């Protein structure tokens, strides 16, 4: 989490909740029509097993739920997020 927060800057914060399956970070996205956000859910395992709540990928949520993405690596996640943020 610290690597993501350092790479993405001070608009991002830890938003993990006690009973979530994985840790997460998020930021607000400027939107005049409604409160919008972007969140990244971090992997908690080296293997994928949804039934056991084990996830080995980064999940990037753009708030509207229509264009969510998954990333295999930390670097891919940072690149995806920075590309999106450059459009804001």
């Amino acid at each position: 989490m610290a690597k993501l927060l350092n790479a993405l800057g001070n608009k991002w914060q830890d938003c993990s909740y006690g009973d979530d399956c994985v840790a997460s970070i998020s930021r607000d996205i400027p939107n005049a029509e409604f409160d919008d956000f972007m969140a990244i859910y971090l992997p908690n395992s080296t293997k994928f097993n949804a039934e056991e709540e084990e996830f080995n990928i980064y999940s990037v949520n753009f708030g509207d739920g229509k264009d969510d993405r998954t990333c295999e690596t930390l670097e891919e996640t940072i690149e995806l997020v920075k590309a999106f943020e450059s459009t804001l």
Side-chain angles (χ1 to χ4, degrees):
M1 181 184 300
K3 288 180 182 179
L4 275 172
L5 290 171
N6 287 334
L8 298 176
N10 62 359
K11 292 181 181 176
W12 288 86
Q13 63 184 354
D14 179 354
C15 66
S16 303
Y17 188 73
D19 64 351
D20 286 347
C21 295
V22 297
S24 57
I25 63 173
S26 69
R27 65 158 286 177
D28 291 330
I29 296 176
N31 187 329
E33 296 178 23
F34 59 92
D35 289 336
D36 207 353
F37 68 96
M38 183 176 188
I40 303 171
Y41 299 91
L42 287 66
N44 65 358
S45 180
T46 57
K47 61 182 178 176
F48 184 87
N49 183 340
E51 289 182 20
E52 295 294 324
E53 297 181 350
E54 297 175 336
F55 304 96
N56 63 345
I57 55 173
Y58 295 85
S59 179
V60 182
N61 178 286
F62 292 95
D64 62 5
K66 296 178 184 174
D67 197 26
D68 294 349
R69 304 275 179 89
T70 58
C71 299
E72 301 273 328
T73 66
L74 175 68
E75 293 77 16
E76 180 185 359
T77 305
I78 292 168
E79 187 176 310
L80 173 71
V81 170
K82 285 188 173 185
F84 177 80
E85 287 182 320
S86 71
T87 67
L88 297 178

